[in-house]
Amino acid sequence: MCGIAGVVYKDGKLHNVGADMTRMLHALQHRGPDSAGFSIYGGLGLEENEYLLNIEVKEKKGLLERVKETVETVSPIRKDEVIPSVENYIIYRCRITLESFSQLKPLIMEIDRIEDVIVLNGSHSFEMIKDVGSVLEIADRYDTWSKKGTHAIGHTRFSTESIVDRYHAHPFQSYIIPDITVVHNGQITNYWKIREPLERKGHIFETNNDTECIVHYVADKLASGYSLEEALEQSVKDMDGPFSYIVGTPTGVGIAKDQLGLRPGVMAENDEVFAVASEEVSLREVMDTTEVEQISPGEVRVYEI
């Protein structure tokens, strides 16, 4: 199953998009009880070359201090906080400054080498929140209700492959280009055919989840000069299986649906909002849905601010 949703405020200004996405995902909770996640764009307000790291750290004596020491070999920590979580883990969030985006992935890999530690994400223009549990549990844990932004994507997960934990929850991110994320409903049945050429080009895969394959694919196309719409159109031709997925970028969202139309996707918009989701019930949380369009088999829709 799984449920996916995306919303964009057309004026490009900050709105209560965290609360909007929380309600949209809660309306899709029946599609996925295992975990949920958000990519909320535009509200972090970071300075140039400043990044936010979200790091899962086991509650073990001295471990958090070791993480901080590793981060500070690259950048002084400008601001940090600890969020209590579940299963004897905490989420450590810190802001750092890097000379260039190219330093981000090597730092993340260095932190990941520490036992019982894993970096959930690193970003500049969006905040990623994802965890195990229901949408409302996660919303209360991370206060998604108060998060402001210009647009967002989100996911409720029903696991059909890979384990259920924070790291395998959606959204997935690629570090080929800054701040691209994906949420996905379905399966990519020619997964290895898509993945192997990307690995030969130097893409580093950290899971066997096919959603990670999608985000690497789209990021690779964007890095090669494709527009977002062109990248999604090509993905529909190259990828097999039942799928619909939503991409988030710093400038907007896009949705793509498999050529047989085997996974749902609907869209609605008005003068203020563009929204997409697995089901109409989710769209009703952000607008009047008197005019809802079904995303057709093989169709791509993109809205950029």
Side-chain angles (χ1 to χ4, degrees):
M1 293 269 284
C2 295
I4 58 176
V7 60
V8 182
Y9 278 94
K10 294 182 176 182
D11 62 7
K13 297 179 181 179
L14 296 182
H15 294 265
N16 295 321
V17 72
D20 289 342
M21 184 52 62
T22 300
R23 291 193 299 268
M24 291 181 77
L25 292 181
H26 180 55
L28 297 173
Q29 184 70 83
H30 58 282
R31 297 188 63 88
D34 296 334
S35 61
F38 305 69
S39 290
I40 300 173
Y41 285 86
L44 278 181
L46 300 183
E47 297 179 6
E48 186 177 1
N49 292 331
E50 191 176 15
Y51 295 86
L52 174 68
L53 294 176
N54 282 308
I55 308 171
E56 179 188 272
V57 182
K58 191 169 186 179
E59 292 186 297
K60 186 191 299 185
K61 185 177 180 180
L63 190 56
L64 180 56
E65 287 69 26
R66 185 180 173 190
V67 170
K68 292 181 180 180
E69 290 172 0
T70 302
V71 171
E72 289 184 332
T73 61
V74 176
S75 170
I77 295 170
R78 303 189 62 175
K79 183 179 180 181
D80 64 354
E81 65 176 322
V82 173
I83 301 174
S85 192
V86 294
E87 300 171 354
N88 299 315
Y89 281 87
I90 60 169
I91 304 300
Y92 175 61
R93 294 156 55 93
C94 62
R95 294 187 178 190
I96 60 172
T97 300
L98 302 176
E99 292 181 3
S100 70
F101 173 71
S102 63
Q103 291 181 293
L104 182 59
K105 183 60 175 178
L107 174 59
I108 289 172
M109 293 174 69
E110 187 65 27
I111 298 169
D112 281 342
R113 291 191 179 98
I114 304 172
E115 186 177 357
D116 294 324
V117 173
I118 190 164
V119 179
L120 298 175
N121 99 296
S123 58
H124 173 72
S125 63
F126 79 97
E127 181 173 5
M128 183 183 288
I129 296 167
K130 61 180 184 177
D131 210 337
V132 175
S134 72
V135 172
L136 294 184
E137 288 171 344
I138 294 166
D140 290 340
R141 191 176 303 151
Y142 297 91
D143 190 23
T144 62
W145 300 104
S146 69
K147 305 295 184 183
K148 294 188 180 297
T150 54
H151 57 291
I153 65 172
H155 187 267
T156 60
R157 186 178 184 215
F158 181 88
S159 176
T160 56
E161 60 173 321
S162 71
I163 61 176
V164 176
D165 62 12
R166 292 180 197 85
Y167 192 69
H168 289 83
H170 298 207
F172 273 78
Q173 180 178 7
S174 171
Y175 297 95
I176 301 302
I177 61 173
D179 295 349
I180 177 171
T181 60
V182 165
V183 293
H184 168 221
N185 170 31
Q187 295 83 36
I188 307 301
T189 55
N190 63 339
Y191 169 82
W192 287 106
K193 183 178 179 181
I194 300 296
R195 173 172 169 163
E196 287 175 353
L198 293 171
E199 287 186 304
R200 288 195 296 270
K201 294 178 71 172
H203 290 246
I204 299 172
F205 284 75
E206 297 176 350
T207 74
N208 289 322
N209 190 299
D210 53 0
T211 308
E212 186 184 11
C213 189
I214 297 172
V215 74
H216 276 286
Y217 175 97
V218 175
D220 184 76
K221 294 298 183 188
L222 296 178
S224 300
Y226 284 63
S227 69
L228 181 58
E229 185 171 8
E230 290 168 342
L232 300 192
E233 288 172 345
Q234 190 61 46
S235 77
V236 170
K237 298 174 183 177
D238 290 345
M239 294 179 184
D240 294 334
F243 65 81
S244 60
Y245 70 85
I246 301 174
V247 177
T249 76
T251 58
V253 303
I255 185 170
K257 192 172 184 179
D258 69 84
Q259 295 188 71
L260 296 178
L262 297 175
R263 287 295 182 269
V266 291
M267 185 211 79
E269 65 178 312
N270 56 30
D271 291 341
E272 292 81 34
V273 176
F274 171 89
V276 292
S278 297
E279 298 179 19
E280 181 180 345
V281 66
S282 180
L283 301 181
R284 291 176 193 157
E285 297 296 329
V286 292
M287 67 171 66
D288 178 9
T289 56
T290 53
E291 295 185 13
V292 174
E293 295 183 54
Q294 292 283 339
I295 307 297
S296 301
E299 187 177 4
V300 164
R301 292 290 184 98
V302 170
Y303 193 93
E304 295 185 282
I305 301 170

